[in-house]
Amino acid sequence: TTPYDEKIVLEGSGITEAPKEPTDDGRIFEYWKLVDGESKYDLNTPVKSDLTLVASWKIKEFTVSFICGDGAENVPPAQTVEFEGKATEPAIKPTRTGYEFSHWAVSENSEDAYNFNTAITKNVKLYAVYETLKISVSFYDGEKLLSSGVFNCNESINFPTFNDVLAGCTIEKWIKADDKTEHTGSFNLPYKEDGYRFNAYITTKLL
C-alpha cells in the first residue's frame, strides 16, 4: 500500500513535522496511532526504527431537524444521523390548529414528500406540509337558512347582504350563534369543528 505521507527522521528523534491530515467525505480525522494501537501517538516519542502510523477516524454526523410552523404541537425532536445513514420518519405527526398534517418535505409547502430512504450527507431541515381544514358557515334569518358554504380555516370572509333574498329588509349586523358576539364587514375563520352559524339582525324594513 502506498503510504499517505512519509517522514525521514534521525534515530532517537521525534517527528518534528506533523504529517498532513488526510480528508474523507464521510469521516473526520482525529489523530495518528500505531497500527495495533487505539490511543493517540505522541509525535515527540523518539523513533528507534521504521514506524508506521495509521489514521484514526470519526464518522461524520449530521442533524436532521423538523420544522413544523407557528403554534404546532407534537414537534419531533431533531435526529443525529451518521454519514450516509438514514433519518427515521417520526411516528408522531405534528398537530396545528386549523390544519391536517400531510407529509414532510425539504422545502415549505412542497408537494413532493421526503423519501426517508435518502442517504444523509449533510444537515437537513424537513418541513411539515399541511392541508388547510375546511369550515362550514351558515347564515340564517331566524330559523330560515339564507345561505351556507365551505371555506378554508383562517380565511377571512365578507358578510353577505342578501338584498335579493331579504327584499325590503336591511341587515345591520350578524350575531354569531355560539357566543352572541356581533359582527359586521368581515370575519376571520379560526378552526371550529362544528363550523359557524350567524343570525341576521334586521333593524329596518322598507315599505
Side-chain angles (χ1 to χ4, degrees):
T1 302
T2 302
Y4 174 76
D5 194 7
E6 288 184 328
K7 302 293 181 184
I8 297 176
V9 299
L10 294 175
E11 184 178 356
S13 299
I15 303 173
T16 57
E17 183 183 353
K20 59 182 180 180
E21 294 186 358
T23 58
D24 185 84
D25 288 341
R27 299 181 296 175
I28 299 173
F29 171 77
E30 292 188 302
Y31 50 80
W32 296 103
K33 63 181 181 179
L34 294 173
V35 174
D36 297 325
E38 292 298 331
S39 59
K40 181 179 180 180
Y41 179 79
D42 183 357
L43 297 180
N44 293 316
T45 302
V47 177
K48 297 180 180 180
S49 61
D50 290 345
L51 182 68
T52 299
L53 299 177
V54 295
S56 176
W57 299 92
K58 178 182 178 181
I59 300 296
K60 288 183 179 179
E61 294 181 334
F62 300 98
T63 299
V64 178
S65 52
F66 299 90
I67 314 301
C68 297
D70 295 338
E73 298 180 352
N74 298 325
V75 177
Q79 298 178 12
T80 300
V81 182
E82 291 186 346
F83 177 76
E84 292 190 337
K86 300 172 184 177
T88 301
E89 183 171 4
I92 299 176
K93 309 303 181 186
T95 56
R96 194 176 174 198
T97 301
Y99 302 90
E100 183 176 6
F101 175 78
S102 173
H103 58 272
W104 296 105
V106 294
S107 60
E108 295 181 79
N109 302 318
S110 173
E111 295 182 358
D112 298 325
Y114 176 75
N115 182 358
F116 280 89
N117 286 319
T118 302
I120 300 296
T121 58
K122 61 181 180 179
N123 292 329
V124 176
K125 288 183 178 181
L126 294 179
Y127 294 85
V129 179
Y130 302 90
E131 292 181 0
T132 302
L133 295 177
K134 304 292 184 179
I135 299 177
S136 62
V137 181
S138 302
F139 301 94
Y140 282 82
D141 174 19
E143 293 304 316
K144 179 183 178 182
L145 177 63
L146 300 175
S147 178
S148 64
V150 177
F151 302 88
N152 288 331
C153 178
N154 297 318
E155 182 179 346
S156 181
I157 63 169
N158 293 319
F159 286 108
T161 60
F162 293 114
N163 290 333
D164 55 337
V165 177
L166 299 175
C169 298
T170 299
I171 298 175
E172 179 181 335
K173 54 193 172 184
W174 290 94
I175 310 298
K176 188 152 69 74
D178 59 352
D179 59 8
K180 309 304 180 185
T181 54
E182 300 177 358
H183 301 271
T184 59
S186 62
F187 180 75
N188 188 59
L189 296 172
Y191 178 69
K192 188 170 181 289
E193 187 173 351
D194 55 354
Y196 292 91
R197 170 174 171 160
F198 291 93
N199 296 318
Y201 185 86
I202 301 174
T203 57
T204 304
K205 290 182 180 287
L206 300 178
L207 302 178

